[in-house]
Amino acid sequence: MESIDARKVPEGLYERRKQVVRLSRKGYGPMAIAELTGLSWGAVNTALKAYGSGGLDALRPKARGRKTGTKRLLSAEQEAEVRKLICDKRPEQMKMPFALWTRAAVRQLILERFGIALAVRSVGEYLGRWGFTPQKPLKRAYEQQPEAVKAWLDTEYPRIARRAREEG
């Protein structure tokens, strides 16, 4: 039987480890248990050692990965300040060349305020964590004039398209 990397199946790992202990109590050796369960010899051996030192509770998988909030470039205070500024002010009030808060605008705000240059993607991750999501405008732009747009589409655009076909 092909061995399974136990790190890749965390949801069933506790049950598999308990199965290893049950088979060990029945007298099976580590190699036989590995063969029966599909786990590697190392995973079987680790489960048996953990059970021997801490009982069933020691078999439960531990939380994996970095702890939440570690390795962030902005401190909690800086994050709170940026969130407050985004909620309370518009970019033009901050003398920034943006109409809305975009990832690029927030990136520039962070750079100007704290001197920390973040990637646009990182800014997007911060915004997502803070509960800000991309939004589409609810209404058409106030400045838009539907009659002028229709006239342009009916007269100007066909001329432009014709000229592009002739040149291309």
Side-chain angles (χ1 to χ4, degrees), residues 4 33 59 70 75 90:
I4 298 168
I33 295 171
L59 297 179
T70 60
S75 69
R90 293 187 311 275

Side-chain angles (χ1 to χ4, degrees), residues 90-93 95-102 104-106 108-109:
R90 293 187 311 275
E92 71 257 11
Q93 291 175 310
K95 295 185 175 41
M96 297 174 73
F98 299 95
L100 299 171
W101 285 116
T102 61
V106 175
Q108 185 175 331
L109 172 70

Side-chain angles (χ1 to χ4, degrees), residues 34-164:
E35 188 75 27
L36 290 169
T37 61
L39 294 173
S40 67
W41 177 85
V44 169
N45 202 30
T46 301
L48 292 174
K49 282 183 180 178
Y51 178 74
S53 64
L56 281 177
D57 285 339
L59 297 179
R60 293 192 186 280
K62 308 276 187 290
R64 299 184 56 187
R66 284 195 321 230
K67 290 185 178 174
T68 305
T70 60
K71 300 290 184 184
R72 292 194 186 164
L73 292 175
L74 294 178
S75 69
E77 295 80 24
Q78 291 170 329
E79 286 187 41
E81 184 178 337
V82 172
R83 277 195 313 268
K84 183 166 177 32
L85 286 171
I86 291 172
C87 290
D88 294 346
K89 299 192 182 240
R90 293 187 311 275
E92 71 257 11
Q93 291 175 310
M94 306 283 297
K95 295 185 175 41
M96 297 174 73
F98 299 95
L100 299 171
W101 285 116
T102 61
R103 293 182 304 167
V106 175
R107 179 178 188 261
Q108 185 175 331
L109 172 70
I110 292 169
L111 183 60
E112 289 174 2
R113 279 276 187 193
F114 309 114
I116 299 172
L118 294 174
V120 173
R121 179 179 175 174
S122 299
V123 173
E125 289 173 4
Y126 274 108
L127 290 169
R129 265 188 235 118
W130 299 336
F132 295 106
T133 57
Q135 300 291 312
K136 289 185 179 178
L138 295 175
K139 297 181 181 179
R140 290 185 184 189
Y142 292 114
E143 298 83 23
Q144 186 177 9
Q145 299 169 346
E147 300 83 23
V149 172
K150 183 170 178 11
W152 183 87
L153 285 172
D154 291 342
T155 58
E156 290 294 317
Y157 180 72
R159 271 191 247 147
I160 294 169
R162 191 175 340 122
R163 190 176 27 191

